[in-house]
């Protein structure tokens, strides 16, 4: 870590595969030099927010140097009041990584031993229990990040080797010792955007995978409905030159190569319904949203987001607002909308597969015994329920703001709320796509799975290895959840891309 070059790819490796991390020499040197500056400020009894003053509305209350440590300890204990379910382990690991990365930039004034303990906890698998609710998304993610800082102090709770322990016991069992916070350190640990950013960076990676596999699933649906790929012709995209639309159209041309089920204009019908014909336009627009979000997340992952910041080159300590989560709040709300739309159009394709008035000859609800057996009837209900719930979650959190700290902090971002909501939406999208996937595989058996394109045939084979044909009615809840997990993790996408090459 050097504070400047963290990437989503590295983050996923650390979050999910427990890759170890360390500080670069340059980062160590800068952290030490910045800490020397803090110590000198305390020694000189300079007025510095959060170091020799209180917090929030108490910023004009002077704190004597002898109380500097007590001030930081009180800060963490008082602010550690988040509520709700604990954040999942990969998210917690990402939070620890990104907070350490921000501190390693050398603008926060933390001691090297405190930063090293945070890194050691990450490498040793000491994962603080961090409740998910309680952040306003400005002044940083104060409440949830305080639960991380508690563990470094030997307080709070942590998960170690699968067991929930007190913070001190977790550290001890990992061979680590708690620290006593010094001046500025409590503020440095909690005044940042790492909760919303961690949720966001993992969400963007999943969104990217779902957008790609959605092209493959939609291609199989199009084949089963004897769709017309003429709408994906290169010329159509060139006269409306959105790069993402053109790239998605290229995806469909590539995926559908070798299909014996697609038709030409006029062969069965002149044109398809929008949920098939407009795939490049809709899925391409989703790509635009994902790209915008990825760009903002990449910046935030390598940003100094606490307050005040120390600039050693000119000896300045400047109180500012980098903790304000507005850029990420907007990005998360935008991603919520884009991913909701990916599910909306998928549910419409599922409806076309199961509705005999729309499917062009497939049995009603893909039932092998229509009337006696309901087949896939209720899968479409579930899909409709999920997309409807997404519409509620997609309401922008960032348009809301509630003043805090007696109106000193009078505008906040609600970015962490938006990030939590986008995580929910993405999980719903995976299930909606899983339902389309299962229905498309069932439809393929009726029209001839052996006539699918090689790429969609590969997806079909993966589905069938986990979801047998539904020749008799059975509960499909577990299979929907299982397929959704494969779509989220990208396992099946990787197999398809061995045939197509990397999709856009």
């Amino acid at each position: 870590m050097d504070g400047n070059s963290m990437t989503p790819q590295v983050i996923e490796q650390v979050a999910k595969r427990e890759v170890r991390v360390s500080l670069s020499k340059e980062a160590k040197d800068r952290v030490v030099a910045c800490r020397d500056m803090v110590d000198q400020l305390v020694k000189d009894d300079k007025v510095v927010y959060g170091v020799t003053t209180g917090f929030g509305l108490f910023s004009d209350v002077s704190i004597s140097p002898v109380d500097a440590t007590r001030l930081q300890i009180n800060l963490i204990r008082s602010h550690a009041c988040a509520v709700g379910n604990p954040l999942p382990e990969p998210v917690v690991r990402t939070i620890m990584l990104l907070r350490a990365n921000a501190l390693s930039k050398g603008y926060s004034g933390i001691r090297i031993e405190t930063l090293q303990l945070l890194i050691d906890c990450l490498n040793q698998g000491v994962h603080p229990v961090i409740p998910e609710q309680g952040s306003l998304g400005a002044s940083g993610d104060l409440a949830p990040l305080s639960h991380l800082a508690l563990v470094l102090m030997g307080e709070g709770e942590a998960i170690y080797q699968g067991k929930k322990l007190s913070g001190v016991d977790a550290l001890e069992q990992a061979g680590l010792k708690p620290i006593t916070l010094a001046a500025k350190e409590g503020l440095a640990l909690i005044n940042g955007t790492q909760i919303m950013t961690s949720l966001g960076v993992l969400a963007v990676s999943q969104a990217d995978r779902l957008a790609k596999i959605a092209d493959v699933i939609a291609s199989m649906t199009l084949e089963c409905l004897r769709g017309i790929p003429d709408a994906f012709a290169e010329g159509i995209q060139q006269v409306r030159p959105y790069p993402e639309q053109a790239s998605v159209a290229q995806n469909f041309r590539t995926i559908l190569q070798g299909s014996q089920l697609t038709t030409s204009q006029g062969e069965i019908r002149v044109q398809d319904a929008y949920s098939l014909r407009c795939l490049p336009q809709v899925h391409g627009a989703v790509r635009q949203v994902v790209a915008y979000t990825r760009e903002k997340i990449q910046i935030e992952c390598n940003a100094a987001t606490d307050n005040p910041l120390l600039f050693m080159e000119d000896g300045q300590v400047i109180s500012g607002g980098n903790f304000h989560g507005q850029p990420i709040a907007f990005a998360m709300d935008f991603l919520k909308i884009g991913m909701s739309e990916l599910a909306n159009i998928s549910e419409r394709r599922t409806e076309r597969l199961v509705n005999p008035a729309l499917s062009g000859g497939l049995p009603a609800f893909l039932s092998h015994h229509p009337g006696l057996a309901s087949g896939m009837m209720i899968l479409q209900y579930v899909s409709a329920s999920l997309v409807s719930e997404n519409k509620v979650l997609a309401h922008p959190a960032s348009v809301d703001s509630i003043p805090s700290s007696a109106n000193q902090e009078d505008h906040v971002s609600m970015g962490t709320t938006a990030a939590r909501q986008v995580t929910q939406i993405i999980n719903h999208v995976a299930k909606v796509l899983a339902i389309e996937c299962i229905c498309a595989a069932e439809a393929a058996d009726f029209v001839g799975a052996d006539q699918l394109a090689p790429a969609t045939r590969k997806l079909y084979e993966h589905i069938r290895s986990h979801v047998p044909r539904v020749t008799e009615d059975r509960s499909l809840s577990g299979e929907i959840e299982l397929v959704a997990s494969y779509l989220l993790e990208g396992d099946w996408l990787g197999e398809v891309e061995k045939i197509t090459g990397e999709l856009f």
Side-chain angles (χ1 to χ4, degrees):
M1 285 184 299
D2 59 11
N4 302 303
S5 52
M6 190 61 63
T7 66
Q9 293 76 20
V10 170
I11 290 167
E12 279 214 304
Q13 291 290 314
V14 174
K16 298 180 179 179
R17 294 173 176 81
E18 300 190 356
V19 171
R20 296 174 69 87
V21 299
S22 61
L23 280 174
S24 70
K25 182 182 183 303
E26 294 77 12
K28 287 180 181 178
D29 292 344
R30 188 168 178 88
V31 168
V32 170
C34 189
R35 182 62 208 182
D36 289 344
M37 182 177 172
V38 171
D39 291 338
Q40 189 62 49
L41 289 167
V42 174
K43 182 179 178 181
D44 295 344
D45 201 15
K46 297 289 187 181
V47 177
V48 179
Y49 172 74
V51 178
T52 56
T53 76
F55 307 102
L57 185 68
F58 294 140
S59 60
D60 293 327
V61 177
S62 296
I63 305 296
S64 69
V66 297
D67 287 327
T69 292
R70 185 179 172 191
L71 175 70
Q72 301 304 311
I73 293 172
N74 285 347
L75 171 71
I76 301 305
R77 288 175 177 167
S78 67
H79 285 42
C81 54
V83 296
N85 295 323
L87 289 165
E89 183 177 295
V91 177
V92 173
R93 290 185 60 79
T94 305
I95 292 164
M96 298 169 76
L97 174 67
L98 293 185
R99 194 71 210 121
N101 192 57
L103 295 170
S104 73
K105 292 179 73 70
Y107 293 98
S108 302
I110 200 160
R111 290 178 299 164
I112 193 69
E113 53 264 42
T114 304
L115 177 54
Q116 189 59 54
L117 177 59
L118 175 57
I119 295 168
D120 290 342
C121 284
L122 177 61
N123 287 336
Q124 297 293 335
V126 177
H127 302 134
V129 175
I130 303 177
E132 65 180 353
Q133 294 171 296
S135 174
L136 295 175
S139 282
D141 291 311
L142 293 174
L145 282 175
S146 294
H147 289 266
L148 182 156
L150 272 182
V151 173
L152 302 183
M153 294 162 52
E155 301 180 21
E157 294 180 318
I159 305 296
Y160 180 66
Q161 295 185 347
K163 296 180 181 178
K164 183 189 285 189
L165 304 169
S166 68
V168 68
D169 287 344
L171 291 174
E172 183 180 346
Q173 291 191 26
L176 303 172
K177 294 182 179 180
I179 48 92
T180 299
L181 296 177
K184 179 66 167 69
E185 290 196 298
L187 198 57
L189 286 167
I190 69 172
N191 206 346
T193 61
Q194 278 66 46
I195 305 291
M196 69 181 82
T197 306
S198 296
L199 289 164
V201 70
L202 297 178
V204 169
S205 295
Q206 291 182 324
D208 188 57
R209 290 192 287 268
L210 289 180
K212 290 180 181 180
I213 198 66
D215 289 355
V216 185
I217 297 167
S219 294
M220 193 194 308
T221 297
L222 183 137
E223 289 180 279
C224 295
L225 295 173
R226 308 303 306 277
I228 308 164
D230 299 46
F232 311 144
E234 187 174 0
I236 290 178
Q237 325 313 320
Q238 288 177 343
V239 297
R240 194 193 194 194
Y242 290 111
E244 298 85 0
Q245 177 180 321
S247 296
V248 169
Q250 177 62 59
N251 279 357
F252 280 104
R253 294 197 299 271
T254 300
I255 294 164
L256 291 167
Q257 276 185 349
S259 174
Q260 300 173 52
L261 292 171
T262 57
T263 60
S264 301
Q265 289 184 171
E267 184 178 339
I268 294 177
R269 67 189 77 87
V270 174
Q271 58 186 20
D272 287 323
Y274 289 1
S275 59
L276 299 175
R277 190 178 2 138
C278 300
L279 279 163
Q281 289 76 16
V282 177
H283 283 202
V286 171
R287 298 302 205 286
Q288 294 173 3
V289 175
V290 173
Y292 173 88
T293 308
R294 187 190 302 114
E295 177 190 333
K296 305 313 169 195
I297 286 289
Q298 179 65 52
I299 292 170
E300 197 75 2
C301 283
N302 292 287
T305 55
D306 52 310
N307 175 59
L309 293 171
L310 294 93
F311 297 87
M312 295 176 290
E313 290 75 14
D314 51 16
Q316 283 191 303
V317 183
I318 305 177
S319 288
N322 278 4
F323 51 73
H324 202 296
Q326 203 71 58
I328 302 303
F330 284 156
M332 292 295 97
D333 278 339
F334 198 19
L335 188 59
K336 283 160 49 180
I337 294 168
M339 295 309 291
S340 293
E341 201 58 22
L342 194 68
N344 285 348
I345 196 170
S346 171
E347 184 276 331
R348 290 292 80 201
R349 292 192 298 269
T350 295
E351 168 66 8
R352 303 197 78 81
L353 287 168
V354 302
N355 187 336
L358 303 174
S359 66
L362 291 169
F365 308 112
L366 304 173
S367 172
H368 290 263
H369 309 286
L372 178 63
S374 295
M376 302 294 178
M377 180 190 294
I378 307 303
L379 267 68
Q380 186 269 329
Y381 286 41
V382 176
S383 186
S385 171
L386 291 167
V387 300
S388 181
E389 187 173 345
N390 280 352
K391 292 169 189 175
V392 176
L393 291 168
H395 178 84
S398 58
V399 299
D400 185 33
S401 177
I402 296 179
S404 56
S405 196
N407 247 351
Q408 172 72 2
E409 298 165 7
D410 57 355
H411 182 274
V412 296
S413 76
M414 300 299 180
T416 305
T417 301
R420 288 174 47 238
Q421 289 172 330
V422 82
T423 301
Q424 291 176 272
I425 286 174
I426 284 173
N427 284 326
H428 294 168
V429 174
K431 292 169 187 175
V432 171
L433 289 172
I435 287 170
E436 182 188 356
C437 212
I438 291 168
C439 290
E442 201 69 24
D445 287 320
F446 285 107
V447 300
D450 58 328
Q451 299 180 73
L452 292 168
T456 52
R457 173 77 184 188
K458 175 61 71 175
L459 178 61
Y460 167 86
E461 289 169 355
H462 281 294
I463 298 166
R464 280 290 167 257
S465 67
H466 295 87
V467 184
R469 291 184 70 179
V470 188
T471 55
E472 299 289 342
D473 281 351
R474 66 175 188 269
S475 171
L476 288 166
S477 295
E479 286 152 298
I480 293 168
E481 297 276 8
L482 181 63
V483 171
S485 70
Y486 282 113
L487 301 183
L488 282 169
E489 293 305 317
D491 302 59
W492 292 355
L493 174 63
E495 292 299 311
V496 171
E497 287 185 325
K498 290 179 182 177
I499 296 171
T500 62
E502 185 174 359
L503 296 172
F504 169 76

